[in-house]
Amino acid sequence: MNETLQPIFDEVLARNPGEDEFHQATRELLESLDPVVRLHPEYADAAIIRRICEPERQIIFRVPWVDDNGQVQLNRGFRVEFNSALGPYKGGLRFHPSVYLGIIKFLGFEQIFKNALTGMPIGGGKGGSDFDPKGRSDAEVMRFCQSFMTELYRHIGEHTDVPAGDIGVGGREIGYMFGQYKRITNRYESGVLTGKGISWGGSLVRTEATGYGTVYFAQEILKARGTSLDGTKVVVSGSGNVATYAIEKAAALGATVVACSDSSGYVVDEAGIDLELLKEVKEVQRARIDTYAEKRGDSATFVAGGSVWDVPCDIALPCATQNELDEAAAATLVRNGCTVVAEGANMPCTPEAVRVLTEAGVSFAPGKAANAGGVATSALEMQQNASRDSWSFDYTESRLQETMVRIHDRCLETADAYGQPGSYVAGANIAGFIQVADAMLALGVI
Ligand code: NDP
């Protein structure tokens, strides 16, 4: 890091002790900004980079609720409203036992630049709780969501902050939270949350958008390399929302998706993952991934624990969680001839993994570019809510695809312009940063 950026990073470390994921995300951004600060000293003069690393507002709150046995349970809720230079804070809610402030801040920080890249008028934020929905009844999940929203409602609104889903938060949870928001505020304010059900203000394609968008991004990378998805072997990690629809779109574009996973292990299915069966197991039964192999018969095997990245593939789409693809996994992918890695999840590749991939000539697309289709389609949901309209699947998907192509091209053009041809990391970080930084300069010291 150069002499302007290093002290800023040192300050981030000192002001945010123990928040490893947040440090990792800020370091990754700052490392790309060297050519930017050389060309634009005004950003340093106005302390734009220092200010961008400090959230505008951080909310931490108690979430008490009663389980099915009548016992009082206690969780912690978070909302980090990171940057609103471009629009209302926008970003998902994560319910997972690993959640603490450092994870929410890393996700909120990434979200600022991702949202800028979409070209839509949305700022960056993120929230969640250390609540674990796994093994909880619907009634328990509802009581938790109602208690969570009983505090969160006063901080959000269609012009202020618009949460959505993330790990552990899907249509069911968004429904319970929207119901409680509506009840407390006595307003049918559709635009306050995205990821809603189709019959009550949701958008077609929102469920599919992150996974589809990641595959569209991978398709653009392959086009730039003079090839296509057709006939390729793909490995996807995870089997949640993003993974499911990445598998669906990759298969639709002619690839064979040979493996996917959850936190208990992975399945290899050389015939190609059977999506209907996967949805039945994960979405309906809410079962573990070994159930898929049990029901699928001969073509599939389950491997407990282990790394899904051991399965040979041409294209890897990490779609589970942060830091799930490390240096050793990256080396295995390279050895097996993988040529493209596109992040469906947020920061799933460790910095060492990114280095190994990049040095080996693998095209690497960071999450803030490759998974931006989810939030872009959330912004389309907000547009439909604002105009009390609902668009067709095909039209909405065409908007998603155009957005992914635009983000891809913008990354490459920006990387070129700043002397780092072919680097999607540099392109995404610099393009996202400049857009937010210019807006902050225009808005004065606030
Ligand atoms: P889901 O909860 O639907 O699925 C998460 C998947 O990842 C599950 O298969 C889960 O397995 C696995 N997983 C989660 N945590 C771990 C862990 N610590 N170790 C191993 N596996 C794990 O979440 P989403 O699909 O919505 O989100 C996946 C990723 O995509 C996250 O990084 C999220 O931030 C990112 N993302 C999501 C967007 C969206 O629109 N939903 C938008 C942009 C990014 P298990 O069930 O066993 O825990």
Side-chain angles (χ1 to χ4, degrees), residues 343-384:
E343 293 186 328
N346 285 310
M347 210 168 73
C349 298
T350 65
E352 297 76 25
V354 176
R355 186 181 40 75
V356 168
L357 296 171
T358 312
E359 282 173 9
V362 174
S363 295
F364 170 74
K368 63 169 79 69
N371 71 35
V375 73
T377 308
S378 275
L380 299 180
E381 183 173 333
M382 291 163 72
Q383 281 186 34
Q384 292 168 78

Side-chain angles (χ1 to χ4, degrees), residues 238-322:
S239 48
N241 170 268
V242 180
T244 300
Y245 294 98
I247 293 170
E248 183 167 280
K249 185 54 75 181
L253 293 175
T256 306
V257 182
V258 292
C260 66
S261 65
D262 67 13
S263 57
S264 69
Y266 64 92
V267 288
V268 185
D269 188 341
E270 290 296 340
I273 298 288
D274 176 337
L275 197 74
E276 288 318 305
L277 177 59
L278 184 70
K279 284 185 186 171
E280 167 65 26
V281 168
K282 298 303 293 189
E283 289 175 12
V284 181
Q285 299 180 17
R286 295 185 187 268
R288 311 271 65 211
I289 197 82
D290 59 338
T291 308
Y292 173 91
E294 256 166 48
K295 296 196 180 231
R296 177 72 160 143
D298 287 347
S299 78
T301 48
F302 169 68
V303 180
S307 168
V308 71
W309 309 118
D310 290 343
V311 181
C313 64
D314 305 303
I315 294 158
L317 305 176
C319 296
T321 194
Q322 65 276 353

